[in-house]
Amino acid sequence: MTSHPISHGAPLSGASTAPVTSVVFDLDGVLVNSFAVMREAFTLAYAEVVGEGEPPFEEYNRHLGRYFPDIMRIMGLPLEMEAPFVRESYRLAHLVEMFDGVPELLSELRHRGLRLAVATGKSGPRARSLLDTLGIRGQFHVVLGSDEVARPKPAPDIVLKAMDLMDADPDRTVMVGDAVTDLASARGAGITAVAAMWGETDEKTLLAAEPDVILHKPAELLALCPEVTAAP
């Protein structure tokens, strides 16, 4: 597969006259590698609430990007799993790491004057706490969780709210996600849907959703984001 940053679909419409000025990021699988922590938290929550048996983490993993209670409903698992899952996620948060190149990417995007947001399937408090733990919360103008909108992804609400809070121009905004729900949310909000391929995403499924842009490394996003203003 090509390493060119725009490797699938059409180039950004009007990119030469309307450069990207705002970026909305998903969190897990895009900015941070939290899969091992999520697996352990899910396993412990399953054992505590459901009991014996093999925790269906692989199925859970296919629904990442959605709000945890929504995933439980889809999988037919008890909503009571949320409390121990959240508890263990907080306890293990110090083990979460950023993907290689993410800190440099965020710093450069801010230096170039872009406005940045996080729109995640996590709750807002969990997302902000994790970003604080990683020391990068200050890079974002907005951090939103699925509990802070009426309809979580794949609905566009969380992206639209992030854009509203950033005063972002839809024609100059992209969303970077690693799940089909991210792409659907971006499209529903009328912005460019960018697929991040560097995590543990189901590549075949994500490509089948026909993202507007495919990125194989975080730094490739810079090709879409020329300097626009002095850093805010």
Side-chain angles (χ1 to χ4, degrees), residues 196-230:
M197 308 302 289
W198 51 81
E200 294 187 19
T201 185
D202 182 340
E203 184 170 317
K204 183 177 180 180
T205 299
L206 197 58
L207 292 179
E210 298 185 344
D212 300 309
V213 179
I214 294 171
L215 305 178
H216 299 283
K217 297 178 181 179
E220 292 178 346
L221 181 61
L222 295 174
L224 308 179
C225 303
E227 186 168 353
V228 289
T229 63

Side-chain angles (χ1 to χ4, degrees), residues 43-51 77-85:
T43 298
L44 291 168
Y46 186 88
E48 185 173 316
V49 175
V50 178
L77 291 174
L79 294 177
E80 289 77 12
M81 281 183 60
E82 182 178 20
F85 179 83

Side-chain angles (χ1 to χ4, degrees), residues 41-120:
F42 184 86
T43 298
L44 291 168
Y46 186 88
E48 185 173 316
V49 175
V50 178
E52 296 182 359
E54 183 67 24
F57 182 78
E58 298 308 320
E59 182 183 353
Y60 171 80
N61 198 38
R62 290 197 294 270
H63 298 296
L64 289 184
R66 293 179 181 269
Y67 192 30
F68 189 87
D70 290 344
I71 299 177
M72 295 299 95
R73 293 186 186 99
I74 291 170
M75 295 180 63
L77 291 174
L79 294 177
E80 289 77 12
M81 281 183 60
E82 182 178 20
F85 179 83
V86 169
R87 181 196 70 221
E88 294 303 311
S89 296
Y90 274 113
R91 183 178 68 84
L92 300 167
H94 66 285
L95 299 176
V96 175
E97 297 181 345
M98 287 179 279
F99 285 107
D100 290 343
V102 164
E104 296 82 0
L105 169 66
L106 298 176
S107 294
E108 181 60 24
L109 290 174
R110 286 300 302 265
H111 176 73
R112 294 184 183 189
L114 280 84
R115 290 186 170 271
L116 309 180
V118 168
T120 175

Side-chain angles (χ1 to χ4, degrees), residues 15-208:
S16 61
T17 57
V20 174
T21 55
S22 302
V23 181
V24 181
F25 291 96
D26 181 41
L27 181 55
D28 298 292
V30 175
L31 299 175
V32 301
N33 185 352
S34 53
F35 295 103
V37 165
M38 283 192 290
R39 180 185 290 275
E40 184 169 350
F42 184 86
T43 298
L44 291 168
Y46 186 88
E48 185 173 316
V49 175
V50 178
E52 296 182 359
E54 183 67 24
F57 182 78
E58 298 308 320
E59 182 183 353
Y60 171 80
N61 198 38
R62 290 197 294 270
H63 298 296
L64 289 184
R66 293 179 181 269
Y67 192 30
F68 189 87
D70 290 344
I71 299 177
M72 295 299 95
R73 293 186 186 99
I74 291 170
M75 295 180 63
L77 291 174
L79 294 177
E80 289 77 12
M81 281 183 60
E82 182 178 20
F85 179 83
V86 169
R87 181 196 70 221
E88 294 303 311
S89 296
Y90 274 113
R91 183 178 68 84
L92 300 167
H94 66 285
L95 299 176
V96 175
E97 297 181 345
M98 287 179 279
F99 285 107
D100 290 343
V102 164
E104 296 82 0
L105 169 66
L106 298 176
S107 294
E108 181 60 24
L109 290 174
R110 286 300 302 265
H111 176 73
R112 294 184 183 189
L114 280 84
R115 290 186 170 271
L116 309 180
V118 168
T120 175
K122 278 181 164 58
S123 71
R126 277 184 62 208
R128 290 185 285 272
S129 175
L130 177 58
L131 293 172
D132 278 332
T133 297
L134 293 166
I136 59 170
R137 182 177 171 186
Q139 298 285 37
F140 301 98
H141 296 81
V142 178
V143 178
L144 291 174
S146 290
D147 60 326
E148 296 170 323
V149 292
R151 300 178 302 162
K153 293 183 262 185
D157 300 34
I158 195 167
V159 178
L160 290 169
K161 183 174 181 179
M163 291 168 59
D164 182 61
L165 292 171
M166 290 193 295
D167 194 25
D169 180 349
D171 292 332
R172 300 186 176 199
T173 303
V174 302
M175 178 171 185
V176 184
D178 69 323
V180 172
T181 51
D182 298 318
L183 305 184
S185 189
R187 290 204 172 108
I191 65 173
T192 297
V194 179
M197 308 302 289
W198 51 81
E200 294 187 19
T201 185
D202 182 340
E203 184 170 317
K204 183 177 180 180
T205 299
L206 197 58
L207 292 179

